[in-house]
Amino acid sequence: MYEIAIIGAGPAGASAALFAAKAGKKTLLIDNDKGMTRRGWYENFYGIAEIGGPDLVETGHKQAVKFGAELVNDQAVNLTAGSEGVVIESESGATYEAKHVILATGVLTDLAAKAGVETKDGTEPRIKTVVAVNAEGKTNIEGIWAAGTVAGVSVHAIITAGDGAKVAINIISELNGTRYVDHDLLKA
């Protein structure tokens, strides 16, 4: 069983996976390779002069995998929450179990709605529906969280990346029983 599984591997999902894996949590990152980030050009992403969407997504995947996240190219089609965690069923027929699942599915809320996750009206232009979350990123279903555009934050990649990190840190803190902080120091 994974401690944290993330569905969607754009900036929100890959950022969540990076923090989760770096914290030593058994992490799964599921990507269907259809995210909208791949179509963008970014000159407003902190720390990067400019980058194309495909390179930004690939860099995020490499960072998460570097720290131990398992990256699977598949489409999640169903979520079932139970007393021990959440079961994810995929289009390929594979199933995965995780204590916590983060939905980082961009503009898509169909998987969440199918699982009984509450949704609400979106506030971003052209984003009609988002997942209802609290300040930590929790949904109405125990063990299911959401981050990024699907959770109602701005569609800007830098903001969704930060939201993914925030939600992962909240889950890591819950799993650890104490607030988690990840700061690396420059090596002398």
Side-chain angles (χ1 to χ4, degrees):
M1 176 181 285
Y2 295 93
E3 289 172 279
I4 303 172
I6 301 103
I7 300 171
S15 182
L18 164 61
F19 273 84
K22 193 167 183 275
K25 303 305 177 192
K26 188 173 180 185
T27 305
L28 174 67
L29 181 59
I30 301 173
D31 185 35
N32 66 8
D33 202 27
K34 297 177 185 172
M36 65 182 168
T37 302
R38 290 186 178 280
R39 297 186 306 267
W41 177 256
Y42 301 90
E43 294 184 17
N44 60 354
F45 202 99
Y46 177 78
I48 297 172
E50 58 186 34
I51 192 168
D55 290 334
L56 180 63
V57 170
E58 185 62 29
T59 298
H61 292 180
K62 286 179 182 176
Q63 288 176 300
V65 169
K66 171 186 173 183
F67 290 107
E70 181 182 339
L71 176 61
V72 173
N73 189 4
D74 207 345
Q75 173 77 40
V77 295
N78 198 39
L79 299 175
T80 307
S83 60
E84 299 296 314
V86 181
V87 175
I88 304 164
E89 296 172 43
S90 74
E91 192 172 71
S92 71
T95 59
Y96 307 95
E97 293 181 65
K99 289 182 182 178
H100 298 275
V101 170
I102 301 172
L103 299 171
T105 54
V107 298
L108 304 176
T109 58
D110 52 337
L111 180 64
K114 185 177 178 183
V117 174
E118 290 178 5
T119 59
K120 64 181 186 176
D121 291 341
T123 58
E124 288 286 295
R126 298 185 303 276
I127 309 292
K128 302 241 183 269
T129 307
V130 297
V131 170
V133 296
N134 69 10
E136 295 177 311
K138 290 182 179 185
T139 71
N140 62 303
I141 297 181
E142 185 67 31
I144 300 179
W145 305 62
T149 303
V150 77
V153 302
S154 172
V155 297
H156 295 89
I158 191 76
I159 295 172
T160 63
D163 196 55
K166 174 197 84 173
V167 173
I169 288 168
N170 288 335
I171 295 171
I172 296 162
S173 298
E174 188 172 300
L175 288 168
N176 290 351
T178 185
R179 188 69 183 159
Y180 176 76
V181 176
D182 179 7
H183 288 288
D184 295 323
L185 297 176
L186 198 59
K187 293 180 173 99

